[in-house]
Amino acid sequence: MESSGSAVPPSGAAGHLLDRRFARDEIALVRHEVTARLRGVGLTGDRLQGYILAVNEIVTNVVLHAGGYGRLLLWTAGDSAWCSVTDSGSGIPARYLSAPEVPETYEVGGRGIWLAYQLCDEVTVATGPIGTTIGLRIEL
């Protein structure tokens, strides 16, 4: 899943909004912090709510499937906001790396990354045996 943008902000990026580590008991706090920062740069309404849902799903995946801890970076670049979520898990299995199909009605799980693809303007994935970084971009 190639990206024309960057899922990692340049060091000292002027649009830096948030850099924090998180664990299972901080999911709601992370969601509120990201919401406040994005409102501050003008993202509102359904696009804000959809993007927050996508970020929340990726953060939740980290705590449920990739060791329970992660790092979230949020920044602006040009006319977009970017969020990257990084974990130190064992990587995403290859069968989950293509743009996901609509999950079956009674399928357990599998909706988080699918939702991210539906709600974001761009999704990037870099994964391997020492961790995964998922980048989510939305135009402001």
Side-chain angles (χ1 to χ4, degrees), residues 10-129:
S11 97
H16 170 81
L17 300 174
L18 182 64
D19 180 350
R20 75 167 342 268
R21 297 193 183 283
F22 62 87
R24 178 181 306 266
D25 60 345
E26 298 170 298
I27 294 172
L29 179 59
V30 168
R31 188 174 56 247
H32 292 299
E33 289 177 353
V34 171
T35 300
R37 299 310 194 289
L38 291 172
R39 279 192 180 128
V41 296
L43 189 60
T44 60
D46 289 344
R47 289 194 46 87
L48 171 64
Q49 295 307 315
Y51 192 67
I52 295 301
L53 176 58
V55 170
N56 186 74
E57 289 293 323
I58 300 306
V59 167
T60 300
N61 281 351
V62 168
V63 300
L64 293 178
H65 306 296
Y69 300 92
R71 181 179 181 199
L72 181 141
L73 299 170
L74 182 68
W75 72 98
T76 58
D79 64 349
S80 295
W82 276 95
C83 181
S84 71
V85 179
T86 302
D87 65 55
S88 56
S90 58
I92 298 174
R95 69 182 179 274
Y96 297 115
L97 291 178
S98 60
E101 300 292 322
V102 177
E104 294 295 325
T105 303
Y106 298 105
E107 185 177 343
V108 175
R111 287 172 179 74
I113 291 178
W114 179 81
L115 277 170
Y117 274 92
Q118 305 312 302
L119 298 168
C120 298
D121 293 316
E122 184 175 359
V123 176
T124 61
V125 178
T127 191

